[in-house]
């Protein structure tokens, strides 16, 4: 069954300091709250770690939710600098991105790390938003489906070890599209989402999927992207840092 809500997930990456996050939230508080009142619309903000508790608390009277950008693959222990899924849950995080290409590329995160993080999140009742997608070179070498299959299998096997029925979000984010303005055609996205679904269901027939697209989503291309019928939402980077642009994407 399809999700009744359409999701707009704002990944603020490491673009805003704590002070700037506070300013951004205060400046746009009413407008954010108005956006959340749009029917069948769910807004999730993903600030960096130090701002999560503030953002969650600031919007606690609205239906806006907060998500982290990653978590530790360990439960607890001598892992300096890491943040446990349980801590994220304690401060009110409902969602957490996993395997974003910036984590895979700059922090050498592997499919195995992604799998462990998915399990930590499920244990703590946080919904994982697993990011998958091919590099430009992989696309040129026609390896898109191979890469996506590997990434999806790893994440879904991790879910399977934990539960037979679960809901996870999967964001198809072609790496070559992030921050570049280049996006795949609607037909390409549709076919990849179908493929993602078929792989995930082959691993775990009862899995419930929420399918997102991310990569250069902005106010000028969103109308066309919204025509993709199996899509449940967007993962928005750059355009989510400009409230006017984000508002146009949502409305
Ligand atoms: P852009 O929207 O800036 O291309 O970033 C996409 C992204 O990485 C979201 O996670």
């Amino acid at each position: 069954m399809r999700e009744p809500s359409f999701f707009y997930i704002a990944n603020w990456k490491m673009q805003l300091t704590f002070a700037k996050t506070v300013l951004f939230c205060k400046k746009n508080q009413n407008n954010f709250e108005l956006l959340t009142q749009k029917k069948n619309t769910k807004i999730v903000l993903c600030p960096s770690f130090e701002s999560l508790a503030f953002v969650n608390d600031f919007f606690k009277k609205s239906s806006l939710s907060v998500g982290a950008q990653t978590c530790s693959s360990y439960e607890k222990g001598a892992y300096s600098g890491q943040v446990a899924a349980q801590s994220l849950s304690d401060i009110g995080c409902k969602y957490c991105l996993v395997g974003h290409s910036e984590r895979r590329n700059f922090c050498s995160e592997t499919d195995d790390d992604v799998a462990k993080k998915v399990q930590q999140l499920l244990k703590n009742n946080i919904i994982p938003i697993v990011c998958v997608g091919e590099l430009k070179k992989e696309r040129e070498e026609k390896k898109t489906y191979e890469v996506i299959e590997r990434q999806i299998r790893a994440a879904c096997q991790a879910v399977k070890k934990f539960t037979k029925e679960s809901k996870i979000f999967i964001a198809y984010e072609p790496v070559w599209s992030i921050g570049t303005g280049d996006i795949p055609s609607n037909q390409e996205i549709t076919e990849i989402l179908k493929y993602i679904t078929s792989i995930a269901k082959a691993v775990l027939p009862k899995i419930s999927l929420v399918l997102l697209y991310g990569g250069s989503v902005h106010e000028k291309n969103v109308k066309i992207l919204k025509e993709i019928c199996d899509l449940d939402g967007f993962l928005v980077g750059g355009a989510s840092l400009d409230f006017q642009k984000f508002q146009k994407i949502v409305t």
Side-chain angles (χ1 to χ4, degrees):
M1 203 178 67
R2 287 284 301 281
E3 245 323 290
S5 294
F6 200 82
F7 285 78
Y8 297 88
I9 303 186
N11 180 5
W12 289 350
K13 307 193 178 184
M14 201 181 73
Q15 301 286 13
L16 301 175
T17 59
F18 177 72
K20 286 193 173 145
T21 302
V22 172
L23 278 179
F24 189 71
C25 291
K26 287 188 174 164
K27 188 169 167 222
N28 299 300
Q29 179 175 18
N30 293 340
N31 289 332
F32 265 124
E33 286 174 0
L34 279 177
L35 272 194
T36 63
Q37 286 163 19
K38 193 179 168 225
K39 203 166 167 253
N40 294 340
T41 300
K42 183 79 191 144
I43 306 227
V44 181
L45 300 180
C46 301
S48 43
F49 282 134
E50 74 285 1
S51 301
L52 282 166
F54 166 79
V55 177
N56 189 54
D57 199 47
F58 191 79
F59 288 110
K60 68 170 176 278
K61 291 202 184 101
S62 75
S63 63
L64 197 144
S65 296
V66 162
Q69 297 172 14
T70 186
C71 70
S72 177
S73 47
Y74 302 103
E75 189 173 327
K76 63 177 231 177
Y79 302 106
S80 303
Q82 300 202 27
V83 178
Q86 189 173 1
S87 299
L88 298 176
S89 166
D90 287 351
I91 60 168
C93 267
K94 299 269 183 301
Y95 301 88
C96 182
L97 303 180
V98 202
H100 191 283
S101 62
E102 286 148 16
R103 302 282 318 168
R104 293 182 193 261
N105 296 337
F106 302 132
C107 306
S108 310
E109 216 164 274
T110 63
D111 289 329
D112 191 42
D113 297 325
V114 171
K116 288 183 180 138
K117 289 175 189 216
V118 165
Q119 289 187 333
Q120 290 299 328
L121 292 168
L122 293 176
K123 256 192 223 168
N124 288 285
N125 293 318
I126 297 175
I127 297 179
I129 304 170
V130 179
C131 304
V132 300
E134 78 286 6
L135 301 165
K136 187 168 197 281
K137 184 168 178 286
E138 291 166 336
R139 176 177 163 89
E140 284 163 2
E141 290 169 356
K142 306 215 176 318
K143 290 189 174 149
T144 300
Y145 285 79
E146 187 187 315
V147 170
I148 286 172
E149 175 166 353
R150 197 196 68 225
Q151 294 172 335
I152 294 289
R153 276 193 191 280
C156 292
Q157 292 289 1
V159 178
K160 190 177 177 180
K161 281 191 193 138
F162 185 78
T163 168
K164 298 281 166 279
E165 263 176 272
S166 183
K167 172 152 95 174
I168 64 164
F169 285 40
I170 295 180
Y172 172 51
E173 289 210 307
V175 185
W176 51 271
S177 173
I178 296 177
T180 60
D182 295 334
I183 54 169
S185 67
N186 279 12
Q187 195 190 338
E188 279 176 284
I189 298 174
T190 305
E191 280 166 15
I192 287 175
L193 296 182
K194 265 200 197 122
Y195 190 66
I196 288 174
T197 307
S198 71
I199 299 294
K201 296 255 179 207
V203 177
L204 199 50
K206 286 193 177 162
I207 200 164
S208 146
L209 296 175
V210 175
L211 298 172
L212 311 174
Y213 170 77
S216 293
V217 175
H218 56 67
E219 74 287 4
K220 296 200 180 81
N221 58 22
V222 74
K223 195 162 175 266
I224 293 174
L225 288 166
K226 279 183 181 173
E227 288 169 8
I228 300 171
C229 45
D230 287 329
L231 200 62
D232 301 301
F234 297 113
L235 181 52
V236 188
S240 70
L241 293 156
D242 176 327
F243 185 80
Q244 314 303 333
K245 288 187 180 168
F246 189 61
Q247 185 178 37
K248 283 190 188 143
I249 289 171
V250 176
T251 51

